[in-house]
């Protein structure tokens, strides 16, 4: 196997609510399909789900389990299908949205990746920065492109995802035999009615603008010509976001008081606001739902001690198109109603529909190569597989916010990992 060892190092979860255990003699995963590549990991990103899943008992299909959704490394065994985009020796990002296939988990030395879920890293982007991008980019692109219908074809020759999935409206894609899974079929094909797609100039509200998913959603929305409202705790993140060339929104709203934030959105935009993305949780998603709902109720909170109402009568300004709310981490408990549609990001589309995965991966390459997309700020580092538990514990304690947690294990990049706590802005 081209000098590839039989065993390698991996971080393994043996039971729920327990730390990951470093195993130095795990079998190296093997390539099964002709489109797969084998990558040696150099930098691995940590995500909040990596501690929430074992703590709360979800998203773990089997035990023992290897976690990790994204990494940067080098291709050491290329695809047998002759994929012209990915070659041996390429520095790449592996984006593992397929959490059931443990060969693709990031918390190991050698990782299998589908070529259409693999992104080449341009020389201008450090591996440590590239490792922070993967899943957040896919989630942001699908939220905007599928759930809101944003057309990226005029943005670094990006995909029109909604048009791309229409070929799956029949039982299977012609010539591919691929069928959309039932649990995402409705979202992909029927989530938007004709005339409801987000267009350049439309407003989108993004709650949790300091998170990595929000970071990339803001950038992609701006590149597509949308006007962005970012809702964050302005005491923590306001200065950094308002002065950031890529993340500066058209409107920055303090999220500390959710009712007041809703009042500001209703007073400022009224029925002009039809799209919203929440990256925080069910409560903030519910607040966004209230901001989108075009009813005749007065907003209960106040600005400058005066009752706030929309600038114009919501009923008079009501448009035929419904509003759309996307929840990355949860949706409101209350029903959506006739004027607001709830959406869940069909993340499995990325790894189950090769055409979609290839379109997004190749587009991310172009965005990085041209500098159109900027990697999120790096928050902190740890070195070694033993550092996984240290990093996840810091996440549990709430010490890491406003960006992606990442860590090094490779001796090759040890000189870059000296800073233990790096904060920008």
């Amino acid at each position: 196997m081209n000098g590839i060892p039989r065993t390698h190092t991996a971080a393994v979860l043996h039971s729920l609510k327990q730390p990951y255990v470093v195993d130095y003699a795990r079998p190296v995963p093997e390539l099964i399909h002709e489109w797969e590549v084998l990558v040696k990991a150099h930098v691995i990103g940590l995500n909040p789900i990596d501690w929430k899943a074992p703590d709360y008992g979800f998203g773990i299909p089997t035990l023992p389990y290897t976690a990790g959704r994204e990494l940067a490394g080098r291709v050491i065994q290329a695809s047998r299908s002759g994929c012209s985009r990915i070659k041996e020796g390429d520095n790449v990002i592996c984006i593992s949205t397929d959490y059931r296939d443990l060969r693709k988990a990031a918390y190991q030395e050698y990782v299998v990746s589908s070529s259409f879920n693999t992104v080449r890293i341009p020389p201008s982007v450090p591996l440590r920065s590239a490792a922070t991008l993967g899943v957040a980019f896919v989630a942001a692109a699908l939220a905007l492109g599928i759930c809101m219908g944003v057309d990226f074809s005029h943005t670094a020759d990006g995909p029109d995802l909604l048009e791309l999935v229409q070929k799956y409206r029949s039982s299977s894609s012609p010539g591919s035999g691929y069928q959309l899974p039932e649990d995402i079929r409705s979202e992909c094909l029927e989530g938007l009615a004709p005339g409801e797609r987000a267009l350049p100039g439309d407003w989108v509200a993004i709650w949790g603008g300091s998170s990595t998913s929000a970071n990339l959603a803001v950038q992609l929305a701006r590149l597509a010509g949308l006007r962005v409202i970012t809702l964050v705790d302005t005491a923590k993140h306001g200065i950094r976001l308002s002065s950031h060339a890529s993340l500066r929104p058209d409107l920055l709203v303090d999220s500390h008081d959710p009712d007041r934030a809703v009042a500001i959105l209703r007073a400022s935009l009224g029925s002009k606001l039809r799209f919203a993305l929440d990256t925080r949780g069910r409560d903030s998603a519910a607040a966004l739902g209230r901001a989108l709902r075009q009813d005749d109720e007065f907003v209960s909170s106040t600005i400058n001690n005066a009752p706030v109402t929309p600038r114009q009568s919501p009923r008079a300004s009501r448009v035929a198109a419904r509003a759309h709310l996307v929840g990355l981490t949860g949706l409101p408990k209350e029903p959506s109603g006739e004027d607001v549609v709830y959406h869940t990001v069909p993340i499995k589309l990325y790894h189950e529909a090769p055409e979609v995965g290839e379109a997004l991966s190749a587009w991310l390459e172009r965005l990085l190569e041209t500098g159109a997309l900027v990697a999120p700020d790096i928050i902190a580092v740890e070195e070694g597989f033993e550092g996984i538990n240290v990093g996840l514990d810091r996440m549990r304690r709430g010490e890491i916010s406003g960006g992606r947690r990442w860590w090094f294990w490779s001796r090759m990049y040890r000189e870059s990992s000296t800073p233990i706590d790096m904060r920008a802005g």
Side-chain angles (χ1 to χ4, degrees):
M1 279 203 316
N2 298 330
I4 302 168
R6 294 181 179 274
T7 62
H8 69 154
T9 304
V12 183
L13 183 72
H14 290 280
S15 59
L16 299 180
K17 300 182 180 180
Q18 297 296 318
Y20 292 87
V21 176
V22 180
D23 187 336
Y24 297 95
R26 300 285 290 182
V28 171
E30 297 183 359
L31 305 184
I32 297 176
H33 304 291
E34 63 176 8
W35 58 81
E36 293 177 339
V37 300
L38 190 65
V39 175
K40 184 170 184 178
H42 290 307
V43 187
I44 303 173
L46 270 65
N47 289 274
I49 195 173
D50 298 336
W51 70 263
K52 291 180 179 179
D55 281 14
Y56 298 107
F58 69 89
I60 299 177
T62 185
L63 288 172
Y65 182 68
T66 301
R69 305 273 66 85
E70 54 199 353
L71 63 93
R74 180 165 295 181
V75 177
I76 59 172
Q77 189 173 352
S79 166
R80 301 191 304 275
S81 65
C83 172
S84 59
R85 193 169 57 84
I86 306 298
K87 302 293 186 183
E88 287 187 15
D90 285 345
N91 287 335
V92 296
I93 304 168
C94 297
I95 307 173
S96 176
T97 55
D98 187 3
Y99 70 96
R100 294 182 179 276
D101 190 342
L102 303 191
R103 300 176 306 136
K104 300 177 180 179
Y107 289 5
Q108 50 190 341
E109 190 175 355
Y110 293 91
V111 177
V112 172
S113 181
S114 296
S115 60
F116 49 84
N117 294 155
T118 308
V119 179
R120 291 175 300 171
I121 304 171
S124 59
V125 178
L127 265 66
R128 64 183 189 182
S129 297
T132 68
L133 287 167
V135 176
F137 168 80
V138 172
L142 291 176
L144 293 168
I146 295 291
C147 304
M148 301 183 196
V150 176
D151 179 3
F152 295 113
S153 60
H154 300 292
T155 306
D157 194 24
D160 183 342
L161 292 170
L162 206 57
E163 182 177 302
L164 188 59
V165 298
Q166 291 306 309
K167 66 176 61 180
Y168 300 123
R169 184 166 291 279
S170 60
S171 61
S172 63
S173 175
S176 71
Y178 173 76
Q179 287 183 277
L180 284 174
E182 285 300 320
D183 59 341
I184 64 170
R185 185 176 178 82
S186 176
E187 180 63 65
C188 293
L189 301 178
E190 290 141 21
L192 293 169
E196 288 187 339
R197 298 184 66 165
L199 301 174
D202 283 341
W203 288 90
V204 57
I206 300 177
W207 198 301
S210 63
S211 72
T212 307
S213 295
N215 176 309
L216 296 175
V218 167
Q219 293 190 65
L220 294 179
R222 291 184 61 189
L223 289 172
L226 273 66
R227 290 182 284 183
V228 177
I229 307 162
T230 299
L231 297 101
V232 293
D233 185 336
T234 56
K236 291 182 178 179
H237 309 292
I239 293 295
R240 178 175 65 88
L241 295 180
S242 62
S243 60
H244 196 293
S246 300
L247 301 179
R248 183 172 58 249
D250 297 281
L251 177 62
L252 183 65
V253 177
D254 189 3
S255 64
H256 182 71
D257 182 339
D259 287 336
R260 186 174 186 276
V262 170
I264 293 172
L265 294 179
R266 293 286 297 270
S268 301
L269 296 172
S271 61
K272 293 180 181 179
L273 179 61
R274 293 198 302 113
F275 301 97
L277 169 65
D278 177 75
T279 69
R280 297 291 294 172
R282 181 169 287 174
D283 291 342
S284 51
L288 280 176
R290 295 197 301 274
L292 293 171
R293 193 162 291 116
Q294 297 304 313
D295 53 37
D296 291 320
E297 295 181 2
F298 287 82
V299 180
S300 60
S301 62
T302 61
I303 298 177
N304 296 328
N305 299 317
V308 174
T309 61
R311 281 183 176 171
Q312 52 186 332
S313 167
R315 189 173 297 281
S317 63
R318 187 190 298 271
V319 294
R322 302 167 298 176
H324 298 270
L325 170 62
V326 185
L328 289 186
T329 56
L331 286 166
K333 292 181 179 179
E334 56 269 19
S336 60
E338 296 181 358
D339 55 351
V340 181
V341 182
Y342 293 165
H343 296 266
T344 301
V345 177
I347 197 75
K348 67 167 60 175
L349 190 64
Y350 180 66
H351 63 262
E352 292 206 6
E355 289 178 320
V356 174
E358 178 65 23
L360 286 175
S361 297
W363 183 41
L364 179 54
E365 287 183 2
R366 293 191 292 274
L367 290 171
L368 293 176
E369 186 173 5
T370 60
L373 192 74
V374 179
D377 296 332
I378 293 173
I379 301 299
V381 299
E382 296 291 343
E383 185 178 338
F385 280 96
E386 296 80 2
I388 288 180
N389 290 315
V390 177
L392 295 181
D393 283 343
R394 294 185 64 183
M395 284 179 140
R396 285 186 178 93
R397 294 192 297 266
E399 295 178 13
I400 305 300
S401 65
R404 175 78 66 203
R405 187 74 164 87
W406 59 273
W407 61 283
F408 287 95
W409 69 266
S410 172
R411 182 179 298 274
M412 182 185 302
Y413 295 94
R414 179 168 295 174
E415 67 276 8
S416 302
S417 64
T418 303
I420 298 302
D421 190 3
M422 298 176 62
R423 297 180 181 271

